[in-house]
Amino acid sequence: MELKKLPLPPFTKATALQKIQMAEDAWNSQDPIKISMAYTEDSEWRNRNLFINGRNEIQNFLADKWKNELDYKLKKEYWAHTENRIAVRFEYEYHDATGQWYRAYGNENWEFDANGLMKKRFASINDLAINEVDRKL
């Protein structure tokens, strides 16, 4: 049986919002295996300057990410959608091992297959060093 990840395309605004909240919750769990199951086996990512392909690479990337991005907290917001695509803007905050806090801003473009799994994720991200007192999340 093929894995399905509800809601399925074509998306309405309500189901796009549901998909976005599910993604935000999953990423805030910081569980690379759980997160990777929302993606196709051969999912394609562009994350900053990295090109990541498939669930195993996604899991490895995320495990490494949270070794360096400590106390990570993410917020995603709806930007637009079509039948099988969703665009979001996001920000997240984290600190490194030295205690320096950062806020990352960006946009993601997502494309889903008929089973509701994300087959493409293209993320543009910029990091800004912040003081701990300036945290929003």
Side-chain angles (χ1 to χ4, degrees):
M1 176 182 258
E2 285 189 75
L3 179 66
K4 290 189 184 278
K5 188 75 168 171
L6 300 174
L8 304 177
F11 298 117
T12 63
K13 184 170 184 187
T15 58
L17 290 169
Q18 182 181 1
K19 204 71 152 170
I20 293 164
Q21 187 61 58
M22 291 169 63
E24 178 183 307
D25 293 346
W27 279 69
N28 280 325
S29 78
Q30 297 180 39
D31 182 338
I33 294 171
K34 174 183 177 179
I35 294 164
S36 72
M37 297 309 293
Y39 298 89
T40 61
E41 285 283 342
D42 61 348
S43 186
E44 298 175 39
W45 284 22
R46 181 184 55 76
N47 196 87
R48 291 184 168 94
N49 62 339
L50 299 176
F51 294 87
I52 301 159
N53 294 287
R55 284 191 190 143
N56 288 336
E57 287 186 20
I58 290 169
Q59 291 171 10
N60 292 336
F61 167 79
L62 293 174
D64 288 343
K65 173 184 180 69
W66 289 311
K67 288 178 187 172
N68 302 308
E69 295 181 6
L70 308 173
D71 293 320
Y72 175 95
K73 177 71 176 162
L74 166 73
K75 179 66 183 153
K76 292 185 182 285
E77 293 181 9
Y78 172 86
W79 190 262
H81 79 280
T82 61
E83 290 182 6
N84 72 327
R85 294 181 175 162
I86 299 174
V88 298
R89 69 158 300 281
F90 64 86
E91 61 185 349
Y92 64 87
E93 294 176 344
Y94 65 94
H95 67 84
D96 63 19
T98 71
Q100 174 61 59
W101 281 91
Y102 296 89
R103 184 174 304 119
Y105 297 96
N107 301 297
E108 292 178 337
N109 298 305
W110 302 340
E111 184 178 323
F112 296 86
D113 71 5
N115 292 318
L117 297 171
M118 196 181 301
K119 64 182 180 180
K120 295 186 181 185
R121 174 188 172 267
F122 302 113
S124 298
I125 306 169
N126 297 300
D127 294 294
L128 174 67
I130 61 172
N131 294 317
E132 185 173 7
V133 297
D134 296 325
R135 292 181 55 214
K136 299 189 312 185
L137 302 177

Short mmCIF file of all heavy atoms in Angstrom, two decimals, residues 16-17 19-21 23 74-81 85-91 106-110 118 121-124:
data_model
loop_
_atom_site.label_atom_id
_atom_site.label_comp_id
_atom_site.label_asym_id
_atom_site.label_seq_id
_atom_site.Cartn_x
_atom_site.Cartn_y
_atom_site.Cartn_z
N ALA A 16 -4.52 23.76 2.38
CA ALA A 16 -3.14 24.27 2.32
C ALA A 16 -2.72 24.74 3.71
O ALA A 16 -1.60 24.45 4.15
CB ALA A 16 -3.04 25.40 1.30
N LEU A 17 -3.60 25.44 4.41
CA LEU A 17 -3.29 25.89 5.77
C LEU A 17 -3.06 24.69 6.70
O LEU A 17 -2.16 24.72 7.55
CB LEU A 17 -4.41 26.78 6.31
CG LEU A 17 -4.53 28.16 5.67
CD1 LEU A 17 -5.82 28.84 6.10
CD2 LEU A 17 -3.32 29.02 6.01
N LYS A 19 -1.92 21.72 5.78
CA LYS A 19 -0.64 21.13 5.40
C LYS A 19 0.52 21.94 5.99
O LYS A 19 1.50 21.38 6.47
CB LYS A 19 -0.56 21.09 3.87
CG LYS A 19 0.35 20.08 3.29
CD LYS A 19 -0.19 18.68 3.45
CE LYS A 19 0.26 17.76 2.36
NZ LYS A 19 -0.08 16.36 2.66
N ILE A 20 0.39 23.26 5.97
CA ILE A 20 1.42 24.14 6.52
C ILE A 20 1.57 23.93 8.02
O ILE A 20 2.68 23.81 8.54
CB ILE A 20 1.11 25.61 6.19
CG1 ILE A 20 1.23 25.85 4.69
CG2 ILE A 20 2.00 26.56 6.99
CD1 ILE A 20 0.58 27.15 4.21
N GLN A 21 0.46 23.85 8.73
CA GLN A 21 0.51 23.64 10.19
C GLN A 21 1.12 22.29 10.52
O GLN A 21 1.91 22.16 11.46
CB GLN A 21 -0.88 23.76 10.81
CG GLN A 21 -0.85 23.73 12.34
CD GLN A 21 -0.04 24.88 12.91
OE1 GLN A 21 -0.33 26.04 12.66
NE2 GLN A 21 1.00 24.57 13.69
N ALA A 23 3.34 20.71 8.73
CA ALA A 23 4.78 20.83 8.48
C ALA A 23 5.46 21.58 9.62
O ALA A 23 6.52 21.17 10.11
CB ALA A 23 5.03 21.54 7.15
N LEU A 74 10.26 27.25 15.04
CA LEU A 74 9.88 27.64 13.68
C LEU A 74 8.44 28.10 13.62
O LEU A 74 7.56 27.53 14.29
CB LEU A 74 10.05 26.41 12.77
CG LEU A 74 9.42 26.47 11.38
CD1 LEU A 74 10.20 27.40 10.46
CD2 LEU A 74 9.37 25.06 10.78
N LYS A 75 8.18 29.09 12.77
CA LYS A 75 6.82 29.53 12.46
C LYS A 75 6.70 29.66 10.95
O LYS A 75 7.50 30.34 10.31
CB LYS A 75 6.52 30.87 13.14
CG LYS A 75 5.15 31.42 12.85
CD LYS A 75 4.08 30.53 13.45
CE LYS A 75 2.68 31.03 13.09
NZ LYS A 75 1.70 29.97 13.06
N LYS A 76 5.71 28.98 10.34
CA LYS A 76 5.45 29.06 8.90
C LYS A 76 4.16 29.82 8.67
O LYS A 76 3.22 29.72 9.47
CB LYS A 76 5.31 27.66 8.29
CG LYS A 76 6.61 26.86 8.29
CD LYS A 76 6.43 25.53 7.57
CE LYS A 76 7.68 24.70 7.59
NZ LYS A 76 8.72 25.14 6.68
N GLU A 77 4.08 30.55 7.56
CA GLU A 77 2.87 31.30 7.21
C GLU A 77 2.53 31.08 5.75
O GLU A 77 3.41 31.04 4.89
CB GLU A 77 3.07 32.80 7.46
CG GLU A 77 3.23 33.14 8.92
CD GLU A 77 3.41 34.63 9.16
OE1 GLU A 77 3.26 35.43 8.21
OE2 GLU A 77 3.74 34.99 10.29
N TYR A 78 1.25 30.97 5.50
CA TYR A 78 0.72 30.79 4.14
C TYR A 78 1.10 31.98 3.26
O TYR A 78 1.00 33.13 3.69
CB TYR A 78 -0.80 30.67 4.23
CG TYR A 78 -1.52 30.67 2.91
CD1 TYR A 78 -1.70 29.49 2.20
CD2 TYR A 78 -2.05 31.85 2.37
CE1 TYR A 78 -2.37 29.48 0.99
CE2 TYR A 78 -2.72 31.85 1.17
CZ TYR A 78 -2.87 30.65 0.48
OH TYR A 78 -3.54 30.67 -0.73
N TRP A 79 1.49 31.69 2.04
CA TRP A 79 1.75 32.73 1.05
C TRP A 79 0.80 32.57 -0.12
O TRP A 79 0.13 33.49 -0.51
CB TRP A 79 3.21 32.68 0.60
CG TRP A 79 3.62 33.85 -0.22
CD1 TRP A 79 3.70 33.91 -1.58
CD2 TRP A 79 3.98 35.16 0.24
NE1 TRP A 79 4.09 35.15 -1.98
CE2 TRP A 79 4.28 35.94 -0.88
CE3 TRP A 79 4.10 35.73 1.51
CZ2 TRP A 79 4.68 37.27 -0.79
CZ3 TRP A 79 4.49 37.05 1.59
CH2 TRP A 79 4.77 37.80 0.46
N ALA A 80 0.76 31.35 -0.70
CA ALA A 80 -0.11 31.10 -1.86
C ALA A 80 -0.20 29.59 -2.07
O ALA A 80 0.58 28.83 -1.50
CB ALA A 80 0.46 31.77 -3.10
N HIS A 81 -1.15 29.19 -2.92
CA HIS A 81 -1.24 27.78 -3.29
C HIS A 81 -1.90 27.64 -4.66
O HIS A 81 -2.57 28.56 -5.13
CB HIS A 81 -2.02 26.98 -2.24
CG HIS A 81 -3.50 27.13 -2.34
ND1 HIS A 81 -4.18 28.23 -1.85
CD2 HIS A 81 -4.43 26.34 -2.92
CE1 HIS A 81 -5.46 28.11 -2.10
NE2 HIS A 81 -5.65 26.96 -2.76
N ARG A 85 0.62 22.71 -5.29
CA ARG A 85 1.77 23.49 -4.81
C ARG A 85 1.34 24.44 -3.71
O ARG A 85 0.23 24.99 -3.74
CB ARG A 85 2.39 24.28 -5.95
CG ARG A 85 3.01 23.39 -6.99
CD ARG A 85 3.62 24.18 -8.10
NE ARG A 85 4.31 23.28 -9.02
CZ ARG A 85 4.65 23.60 -10.23
NH1 ARG A 85 4.39 24.80 -10.71
NH2 ARG A 85 5.26 22.73 -11.00
N ILE A 86 2.28 24.66 -2.78
CA ILE A 86 2.05 25.61 -1.69
C ILE A 86 3.33 26.42 -1.52
O ILE A 86 4.43 25.88 -1.58
CB ILE A 86 1.72 24.88 -0.36
CG1 ILE A 86 0.44 24.05 -0.51
CG2 ILE A 86 1.59 25.88 0.79
CD1 ILE A 86 0.13 23.17 0.71
N ALA A 87 3.18 27.71 -1.31
CA ALA A 87 4.30 28.60 -1.02
C ALA A 87 4.10 29.16 0.39
O ALA A 87 2.99 29.55 0.75
CB ALA A 87 4.39 29.73 -2.03
N VAL A 88 5.19 29.15 1.16
CA VAL A 88 5.14 29.67 2.52
C VAL A 88 6.29 30.63 2.75
O VAL A 88 7.31 30.58 2.07
CB VAL A 88 5.21 28.54 3.59
CG1 VAL A 88 4.03 27.60 3.47
CG2 VAL A 88 6.52 27.78 3.54
N ARG A 89 6.08 31.52 3.71
CA ARG A 89 7.19 32.30 4.26
C ARG A 89 7.38 31.77 5.66
O ARG A 89 6.46 31.20 6.26
CB ARG A 89 6.90 33.80 4.25
CG ARG A 89 5.82 34.24 5.21
CD ARG A 89 5.87 35.70 5.61
NE ARG A 89 7.08 36.09 6.27
CZ ARG A 89 7.40 35.88 7.56
NH1 ARG A 89 6.55 35.26 8.34
NH2 ARG A 89 8.53 36.29 8.07
N PHE A 90 8.57 31.89 6.18
CA PHE A 90 8.83 31.35 7.51
C PHE A 90 9.90 32.16 8.20
O PHE A 90 10.63 32.95 7.59
CB PHE A 90 9.26 29.87 7.44
CG PHE A 90 10.57 29.67 6.73
CD1 PHE A 90 11.77 29.77 7.41
CD2 PHE A 90 10.59 29.42 5.37
CE1 PHE A 90 12.98 29.60 6.74
CE2 PHE A 90 11.79 29.24 4.70
CZ PHE A 90 12.98 29.34 5.38
N GLU A 91 9.95 31.97 9.49
CA GLU A 91 11.07 32.44 10.29
C GLU A 91 11.28 31.42 11.39
O GLU A 91 10.36 30.75 11.83
CB GLU A 91 10.85 33.84 10.86
CG GLU A 91 9.69 34.00 11.77
CD GLU A 91 9.48 35.45 12.20
OE1 GLU A 91 10.34 36.31 11.95
OE2 GLU A 91 8.43 35.71 12.81
N GLY A 106 12.83 33.25 5.45
CA GLY A 106 12.89 32.70 4.11
C GLY A 106 11.54 32.36 3.53
O GLY A 106 10.48 32.62 4.11
N ASN A 107 11.63 31.78 2.35
CA ASN A 107 10.47 31.33 1.59
C ASN A 107 10.73 29.89 1.15
O ASN A 107 11.87 29.52 0.88
CB ASN A 107 10.28 32.20 0.35
CG ASN A 107 10.08 33.64 0.70
OD1 ASN A 107 9.12 33.99 1.37
ND2 ASN A 107 11.02 34.49 0.30
N GLU A 108 9.66 29.14 1.08
CA GLU A 108 9.73 27.78 0.56
C GLU A 108 8.65 27.59 -0.48
O GLU A 108 7.52 28.07 -0.31
CB GLU A 108 9.49 26.74 1.67
CG GLU A 108 10.58 26.67 2.69
CD GLU A 108 10.28 25.66 3.79
OE1 GLU A 108 9.10 25.33 4.03
OE2 GLU A 108 11.24 25.21 4.41
N ASN A 109 9.01 26.87 -1.53
CA ASN A 109 8.05 26.45 -2.55
C ASN A 109 7.97 24.94 -2.50
O ASN A 109 9.00 24.26 -2.57
CB ASN A 109 8.51 26.92 -3.94
CG ASN A 109 8.59 28.42 -4.01
OD1 ASN A 109 7.63 29.11 -3.72
ND2 ASN A 109 9.74 28.93 -4.37
N TRP A 110 6.75 24.43 -2.34
CA TRP A 110 6.53 23.00 -2.19
C TRP A 110 5.70 22.47 -3.35
O TRP A 110 4.74 23.12 -3.77
CB TRP A 110 5.74 22.70 -0.92
CG TRP A 110 6.33 23.17 0.37
CD1 TRP A 110 7.63 23.51 0.64
CD2 TRP A 110 5.62 23.36 1.60
NE1 TRP A 110 7.76 23.86 1.96
CE2 TRP A 110 6.54 23.78 2.56
CE3 TRP A 110 4.29 23.19 1.97
CZ2 TRP A 110 6.18 24.05 3.88
CZ3 TRP A 110 3.93 23.45 3.27
CH2 TRP A 110 4.86 23.87 4.22
N MET A 118 5.44 15.43 -0.28
CA MET A 118 6.16 16.52 -0.92
C MET A 118 7.28 15.94 -1.78
O MET A 118 8.15 15.24 -1.29
CB MET A 118 6.72 17.49 0.13
CG MET A 118 7.14 18.81 -0.45
SD MET A 118 7.84 19.94 0.79
CE MET A 118 6.50 20.10 1.96
N ARG A 121 11.01 20.60 -2.64
CA ARG A 121 11.05 21.66 -1.63
C ARG A 121 12.24 22.54 -1.96
O ARG A 121 13.39 22.11 -1.93
CB ARG A 121 11.23 21.06 -0.23
CG ARG A 121 11.42 22.11 0.86
CD ARG A 121 11.78 21.44 2.20
NE ARG A 121 12.13 22.42 3.18
CZ ARG A 121 13.38 22.84 3.42
NH1 ARG A 121 14.40 22.36 2.74
NH2 ARG A 121 13.61 23.75 4.34
N PHE A 122 11.94 23.79 -2.27
CA PHE A 122 12.99 24.76 -2.60
C PHE A 122 12.93 25.87 -1.57
O PHE A 122 11.93 26.57 -1.47
CB PHE A 122 12.81 25.30 -4.02
CG PHE A 122 12.83 24.21 -5.06
CD1 PHE A 122 11.71 23.91 -5.79
CD2 PHE A 122 13.98 23.47 -5.28
CE1 PHE A 122 11.73 22.90 -6.74
CE2 PHE A 122 14.02 22.45 -6.22
CZ PHE A 122 12.88 22.17 -6.96
N ALA A 123 14.01 26.01 -0.78
CA ALA A 123 14.04 26.97 0.32
C ALA A 123 15.14 28.00 0.11
O ALA A 123 16.28 27.65 -0.19
CB ALA A 123 14.27 26.24 1.64
N SER A 124 14.75 29.26 0.24
CA SER A 124 15.70 30.37 0.26
C SER A 124 15.70 30.92 1.67
O SER A 124 14.64 31.27 2.20
CB SER A 124 15.27 31.45 -0.73
OG SER A 124 15.26 30.95 -2.04
#
